[in-house]
Amino acid sequence: MDELEFSGIVENIIFANDENGYTVFELLLDDEKEDTVVCCTGYLPGLNMGESINVRGRRVRHPAYGDQLEVISYRKSLPVTEKAMERYLGSGIIKGIGKQTAKKIVKKFGKNTFVVIDTEPHKLAEIKGITAAKAVEIGEVFKERSALTDTVMFLQEYGVSVNYATKIFKTYKDKTIEVIQKNPYTLADEITGIGFKTADNIARKLGIAADSPYRIRSGIKYALDHAAACGHTYLPEDILTRQVSMLLSLSVGNISENLIDMQADGQIRIENSEPERKVYLNFFYYAESYIAKKLVDMSEAVGKAAFTDAEIHEIEKAEGIKFADGQFKAIKEAMKSDIFVITGGPGTGKTTIINAIIYLLEARHLKIELAAPTGKASKRMTEATGRDARTIHRLLGTNMLNEGNMRQSFEHDEENPIDADCIIIDEMSMVDVPLMYYLLKAVNDGTRLILVGDADQLPSVGAGNVLKDIISAERVPYVSLNEIFRQAQQSAIVTNAHRINHGEYPDLKDKTKDFFYMRRKDPENVLDTVSGLISKRLPGYLGCSPLDIKVLVPMRKTPLGVYNLNKMLQSVLNPPSAGKPEKEFRGTIFRLGDRVMQIKNNYDLAWRAIDEHDRMTDDGTGVFNGDEGVITYLDNDNKSLEVLYDENRYVSYDFSQLDELELSYAVTIHKSQGSEYKAIIMPLLGGPDMLMTRNLLYTGITRAKELAVIVGSEESVMRMVDNDRQIQRYTSLTDRIHSFASMFGQ
């Protein structure tokens, strides 16, 4: 569609969102023989009536309001005629100045009005009704408005959106342009959402040298941040310097020199160790060190009042069960120190142990807190125990996050620890280093911490490999459960999962009631089969909604990847209709009723919990990577939609925030960690070795509660079982646990 360009004066503002700058306004065009007004929409923060503006955009047709111009970019300039100045000041831009006062100001100062307000605001006090204090306030507001306009205009030239320009201005105020011109890489360090590449583009256009220390140091931080996003808590120095050298097209020598300077300035931490020098972002160095020391300290808190054999036998009698040796040992050992780990695969009795420990703790009138990393995992924990469980973030009480600097603030920390005698955390394989760090800071001396999980699952999405590293250190008391119980042995999901985990092929010929394999040779046949299964066959077989079934895939950008599957599944499960509003955003259509997932941590997003009577029962902030929900409201007029998440949490999104959501009829197996679905479908038909691995297949299968269906080729399944490749994560937690234990002679 061709772009149009108009210049004129803002005649009327119909709607303005102060939070994000979204505005609907009428533009009175210049150079027209007759008054011509164009209705415009877009993100134009600080726009006011009477302003002169040039806009560029596309003509769109609104179903209710007709033709509009959707503004892509714009330029503002202050009014130059006295009439326009009067209109601008009288628009309500400055609190306390109405139309009559604006008329008096312009009458007195004429075409110099804005010069006086900007440079000599005290002169406004010469006008009756304006005090000296009010005159100064008018000048300050005027300057801030002008500075915001200048910032938006300046950053627009470098491809920075209006939303981010406004966010940047809120951080630096009238110093924004000065800060950027001196060191644009500051934006990458301090503004969430502004990455190194955007800052580097601005720097290049500003003429900053390619070998500038600002650029090299920002490139180093970018590489370490990217490594953390891939699961690493550090990078070996030689790997880091090679990566940054390629990123910046500079010599390795330049990178190494700046590494030393950055450590001297306290920006990073370099650790000399064999066989490699390790380079950390400060946060991860101190977080791993803190975790290791705290775990060693807790593991040495022995001599506690352990559960007796008689107490455990009492549970067996009351429940009519007989604990296996491993279960009995786990229950008894759980109370001997302040930290205990229980690990095992599906069907090995982890839930039975948790319930027994809770029973015994309550019998002693001890206070227990239950938590898990995600909303779905905490919901499962609640269902399994009959007690309230929360996400770890809600247990800690999230206040704020500055992701760029890895700083979080929680209600509970060392100064205000969690009030509990025992804390039990489930799905520990999902817990990354940052979350473990903040959890341990909130665990009081003497409080027992029991960690439960499956160490053979995929590691956390975030940096670290916490559960596996703790077990590998063999310094923290733990029990590993291997026996599959009789009831679980009746499930082909469980037995095949264990076969896979042991490097054996699953039984694909046994047509049991909960595990099926469907041979398909090409992607088109796989897609057709998946469509039929999720829309008709499985809901009828299980008596459930298609939303209770999840398609799990290894990849994202293939014919059988997340993007293509979601587009297909959306058309089948939630097709367009007159009664379903929708919004297209960067190639994805979001529609009322769609299943969606939050794909990045946002600790500032507000949520409110609503009960069945539409009463608010709770509220807070924070929506996290991997949270899934359903779009329950979508309003194109107000540019917003609402998502209902687990725990009846409703979250509102402005359309400018839609980059934080994606459709989730199909998700990657990585993203499914901690979740359990009534049924899962796994399309498997080739893929790269680094993704087609044994533990990926194992993790996917174990997400199914009642039914698992594999659609594709037997060769792909066998190839995954044979591929026991473990993607290396650079972490130091195991070594640090050993180091602290040795340091204190433990």
Side-chain angles (χ1 to χ4, degrees):
M1 186 180 294
D2 293 338
E3 292 184 359
L4 303 173
E5 188 169 348
F6 298 107
S7 295
I9 294 174
V10 179
E11 175 79 3
N12 182 34
I13 294 180
I14 300 170
F15 171 81
N17 184 323
D18 292 335
E19 288 297 315
N20 61 21
Y22 180 77
T23 309
V24 181
F25 64 99
E26 293 178 335
L27 184 68
L28 177 63
L29 302 188
D30 293 338
D31 303 323
E32 295 284 340
K33 293 181 180 179
E34 298 181 3
D35 288 349
T36 301
V37 175
V38 175
C39 183
C40 304
T41 67
Y43 294 92
L44 297 87
L47 189 69
N48 292 277
M49 288 193 295
E51 285 186 303
S52 297
I53 186 170
N54 172 275
V55 296
R56 185 168 55 84
R58 294 183 294 262
R59 194 179 296 280
V60 296
R61 185 164 187 81
H62 190 281
Y65 304 117
D67 287 344
Q68 297 177 335
L69 185 77
E70 186 177 66
V71 177
I72 298 170
S73 64
Y74 69 100
R75 299 190 307 275
K76 289 201 296 186
S77 60
L78 289 171
V80 293
T81 68
E82 292 183 21
K83 182 178 180 181
M85 288 180 181
E86 182 181 323
R87 187 179 188 122
Y88 176 77
L89 290 175
S91 67
I93 180 176
I94 300 172
K95 187 178 178 181
I97 296 184
K99 292 182 180 179
Q100 293 303 314
T101 304
K103 189 172 184 178
K104 291 178 185 178
I105 293 172
V106 175
K107 183 177 180 180
K108 180 170 181 63
F109 299 111
K111 291 186 177 181
N112 291 323
T113 294
F114 288 160
V115 176
V116 170
I117 295 174
D118 188 34
T119 62
E120 300 176 287
H122 60 275
K123 287 187 176 181
L124 296 175
E126 298 173 11
I127 296 172
K128 186 177 180 180
I130 299 180
T131 64
K134 184 64 180 176
V136 172
E137 183 183 342
I138 290 170
E140 290 174 348
V141 173
F142 186 86
K143 279 180 180 290
E144 184 168 326
R145 290 275 179 176
S146 297
L148 173 58
T149 298
D150 292 343
T151 297
V152 172
M153 298 301 103
F154 173 78
L155 288 171
Q156 198 169 254
E157 295 298 317
Y158 301 102
V160 179
S161 71
V162 174
N163 288 331
Y164 279 120
T166 305
K167 191 174 186 178
I168 292 166
F169 181 80
K170 287 179 179 178
T171 301
Y172 303 115
K173 300 295 184 183
D174 59 346
K175 302 290 185 184
T176 301
I177 294 176
E178 179 185 334
V179 167
I180 294 170
Q181 287 177 329
K182 179 181 178 183
N183 178 14
Y185 297 101
T186 300
L187 300 179
D189 293 340
E190 299 182 359
I191 306 296
T192 302
I194 298 291
F196 168 79
K197 292 181 180 179
T198 299
D200 201 38
N201 180 50
I202 295 173
R204 181 174 51 80
K205 291 181 178 178
L206 287 172
I208 291 178
D211 62 353
S212 162
Y214 290 137
R215 181 170 186 258
I216 295 173
R217 294 183 183 195
S218 185
I220 290 168
K221 289 181 181 177
Y222 170 79
L224 290 172
D225 278 329
H226 180 71
C230 294
H232 309 296
T233 58
Y234 74 89
L235 281 180
E237 184 179 12
D238 61 337
I239 292 177
L240 174 63
T241 52
R242 285 201 305 271
Q243 288 183 358
V244 178
S245 175
M246 293 176 63
L247 173 71
L248 304 181
S249 298
L250 294 173
S251 72
V252 169
N254 274 346
I255 315 304
S256 297
E257 290 174 12
N258 278 272
L259 281 174
I260 296 169
D261 292 339
M262 289 177 74
Q263 172 158 261
D265 293 342
Q267 296 182 53
I268 60 173
R269 182 71 181 237
I270 302 175
E271 186 176 53
N272 292 310
S273 59
E274 294 297 335
E276 60 203 5
R277 277 162 55 95
K278 302 174 180 178
V279 185
Y280 298 80
L281 291 170
N282 281 337
F283 172 83
F284 288 110
Y285 177 83
Y286 291 111
E288 279 194 332
S289 298
Y290 182 91
I291 293 168
K293 185 177 186 308
K294 180 96 176 209
L295 289 175
V296 170
D297 289 343
M298 293 177 74
S299 67
E300 292 302 310
V302 294
K304 298 282 186 175
F307 295 132
T308 65
D309 291 1
E311 287 177 294
I312 301 173
H313 288 312
E314 184 63 33
I315 300 179
E316 292 179 318
K317 183 178 178 182
E319 299 295 325
I321 60 175
K322 176 68 176 176
F323 293 124
D325 291 344
Q327 290 179 312
F328 197 96
K329 177 185 176 184
I331 297 166
K332 189 170 183 178
E333 297 290 320
M335 296 293 280
K336 284 189 176 179
S337 71
D338 283 349
I339 179 77
F340 189 68
V341 176
I342 301 168
T343 181
T348 56
K350 297 190 298 294
T351 299
T352 300
I353 294 170
I354 293 174
N355 282 325
I357 292 171
I358 292 172
Y359 180 96
L360 293 169
L361 290 169
E362 288 179 339
R364 294 186 179 185
H365 306 291
L366 298 176
K367 185 174 181 181
I368 313 159
E369 288 286 359
L370 308 179
T374 66
K376 277 194 173 295
S378 63
K379 184 178 179 181
R380 286 174 57 199
M381 197 177 189
T382 296
E383 292 168 352
T385 63
R387 276 84 170 174
D388 287 338
R390 293 182 280 175
T391 64
I392 298 173
H393 288 99
R394 291 191 71 182
L395 175 65
L396 294 173
T398 305
N399 292 327
M400 171 278 293
L401 169 77
N402 182 327
E403 286 185 303
N405 292 295
M406 299 304 297
R407 288 198 300 266
Q408 287 176 252
S409 173
F410 290 99
E411 177 186 342
H412 293 294
D413 54 19
E414 290 169 310
E415 300 299 320
N416 180 30
I418 298 165
D419 180 19
D421 296 298
C422 182
I423 300 169
I424 303 176
I425 305 294
D426 199 7
E427 293 288 354
M428 265 300 299
S429 63
M430 298 181 66
V431 175
D432 58 18
V433 162
L435 190 54
M436 188 65 175
Y437 168 72
Y438 293 115
L439 172 65
L440 288 178
K441 283 176 72 73
V443 175
N444 202 6
D445 291 343
T447 295
R448 292 175 174 86
L449 180 64
I450 299 174
L451 309 176
V452 185
D454 183 351
D456 292 317
Q457 297 278 353
L458 291 169
S460 58
V461 174
N465 203 352
V466 174
L467 179 60
K468 190 166 285 188
D469 284 353
I470 291 173
I471 294 170
S472 296
E474 297 190 334
R475 296 282 180 164
V476 172
Y478 77 95
V479 64
S480 180
L481 305 171
N482 300 305
E483 181 181 349
I484 307 174
F485 290 94
R486 183 176 302 169
Q487 185 176 356
Q489 288 175 358
Q490 298 173 8
S491 166
I493 294 173
V494 172
T495 55
N496 279 323
H498 282 275
R499 285 194 185 105
I500 291 166
N501 198 34
H502 295 144
E504 302 169 7
Y505 299 138
D507 187 347
L508 300 182
K509 295 178 181 179
D510 180 15
K511 302 295 183 181
T512 63
K513 64 180 181 179
D514 71 347
F515 188 95
F516 292 95
Y517 165 67
M518 304 178 73
R519 184 191 302 274
R520 296 294 183 271
K521 292 287 188 178
D522 61 72
E524 188 174 338
N525 286 338
V526 172
L527 287 173
D528 288 342
T529 301
V530 170
S531 174
L533 284 170
I534 198 168
S535 62
K536 296 177 182 177
R537 294 179 64 181
L538 295 190
Y541 177 67
L542 295 170
C544 68
S545 162
L547 294 181
D548 294 324
I549 304 165
K550 186 65 66 178
V551 179
L552 303 181
V553 294
M555 293 159 288
R556 300 183 70 85
K557 297 180 180 180
T558 66
L560 295 179
V562 166
Y563 298 130
N564 195 46
L565 274 162
N566 270 318
K567 187 177 292 187
M568 180 273 287
L569 292 170
Q570 182 190 48
S571 68
V572 172
L573 300 178
N574 192 30
S577 71
K580 292 180 185 175
E582 60 184 46
K583 166 65 179 175
E584 189 274 336
F585 183 83
R586 297 181 183 175
T588 297
I589 293 175
F590 293 98
R591 185 175 294 135
L592 184 68
D594 272 337
R595 191 80 182 172
V596 293
M597 176 182 282
Q598 175 81 11
I599 58 172
K600 61 176 72 171
N601 288 340
N602 187 329
Y603 289 74
D604 297 323
L605 269 178
W607 55 264
R608 64 193 193 286
I610 306 295
D611 66 14
E612 64 273 15
H613 303 294
D614 289 331
R615 295 177 301 203
M616 189 171 79
T617 58
D618 197 4
D619 63 351
T621 59
V623 185
F624 308 108
N625 186 2
D627 284 355
E628 286 189 81
V630 176
I631 297 175
T632 56
Y633 171 85
L634 194 153
D635 189 333
N636 279 297
D637 292 340
N638 289 320
K639 307 290 180 182
S640 66
L641 59 79
E642 191 169 66
V643 177
L644 170 62
Y645 288 105
D646 289 329
E647 302 173 303
N648 287 323
R649 293 176 301 143
Y650 288 84
V651 178
S652 292
Y653 292 82
D654 184 86
F655 282 174
S656 64
Q657 298 170 302
L658 293 184
D659 61 339
E660 298 189 16
L661 292 175
E662 68 180 20
L663 297 176
S664 67
Y665 298 100
V667 300
T668 62
I669 296 171
H670 279 90
K671 288 285 191 181
S672 73
Q673 291 179 82
S675 297
E676 184 178 69
Y677 307 101
K678 196 176 188 74
I680 65 100
I681 304 170
M682 291 179 64
L684 299 175
L685 199 63
D689 283 345
M690 67 179 296
L691 288 178
M692 305 296 283
T693 63
R694 182 187 300 173
N695 68 339
L696 196 79
L697 179 61
Y698 172 75
T699 299
I701 293 296
T702 55
R703 298 307 90 202
K705 185 177 182 181
E706 296 183 18
L707 180 65
V709 181
I710 295 176
V711 182
S713 72
E714 190 172 355
E715 293 77 16
S716 292
V717 176
M718 292 179 175
R719 180 179 154 212
M720 292 181 80
V721 174
D722 291 339
N723 183 10
D724 194 24
R725 174 176 178 169
Q726 301 290 325
I727 298 175
Q728 182 177 9
R729 286 197 167 191
Y730 294 111
T731 67
S732 295
L733 184 56
T734 296
D735 291 340
R736 294 199 187 287
I737 291 172
H738 288 155
S739 177
F740 278 109
S742 299
M743 187 183 304
F744 297 107
Q746 298 168 347

